Amino acid sequence: MIMTELEIWNVMHMGLISNSMYFVGMVLMTWLGFRMATKTRDDKNAEMIGKILVSAFFVLVGLSFLNVTMIAGDIISTSASAMALLSERTAGADNLIEVGGSPLNPGGPLSYVFHALIVGMQLLMVWGRAKKHNS
């Protein structure tokens, strides 16, 4: 089935809108992870099992967030591929085709670095040396 350019744009935007709801959820879960990391770091008597469970939470949220990002990237690249099949298309479609496979897009290599950085910061907050407070 051949879709028109307008149909491809509409399907792409519907997919990105749906994906954005998961993105917001992952942002909230990441924020919660930083709150947990702060509380764990500030508790001088934090249990080892608590640190392990909080760390597992960080990793799972990080992987879920990466998955949401990869889905967004797939929506963009699939739409760009569909646009490339059209015999007649607008300059906007040509632009999407050109940038559709960029490594800076969601799901590209930069996404892996970004999400690893977030999880790494959270893990360092929990497992790194706590600052000694002068009292």
Side-chain angles (χ1 to χ4, degrees), residues 82-98:
M83 292 287 191
L85 297 174
L86 298 175
S87 56
E88 292 182 32
R89 56 184 177 257
T90 64
D94 288 335
N95 186 47
L96 180 66
I97 293 165
E98 185 178 327

Side-chain angles (χ1 to χ4, degrees), residues 102-123:
S102 170
L104 300 176
N105 279 349
L110 189 62
S111 295
Y112 290 92
V113 173
F114 177 69
H115 293 295
L117 184 66
I118 292 171
V119 173
M121 288 187 301
Q122 291 172 328
L123 291 171

Side-chain angles (χ1 to χ4, degrees), residues 8-9 11-13 16 19 69-85 93 95-108:
I8 295 169
W9 284 117
V11 169
M12 182 182 86
H13 287 113
L16 290 174
N19 194 46
T69 306
M70 292 177 74
I71 290 169
D74 191 47
I75 291 168
I76 292 168
S77 66
T78 302
S79 298
S81 296
M83 292 287 191
L85 297 174
N95 186 47
L96 180 66
I97 293 165
E98 185 178 327
V99 300
S102 170
L104 300 176
N105 279 349

Side-chain angles (χ1 to χ4, degrees), residues 51-72:
K51 288 183 171 186
I52 292 169
L53 291 174
V54 169
S55 298
F57 177 81
F58 302 154
V59 172
L60 292 174
V61 169
L63 290 172
S64 297
F65 204 164
L66 178 62
N67 186 53
V68 168
T69 306
M70 292 177 74
I71 290 169

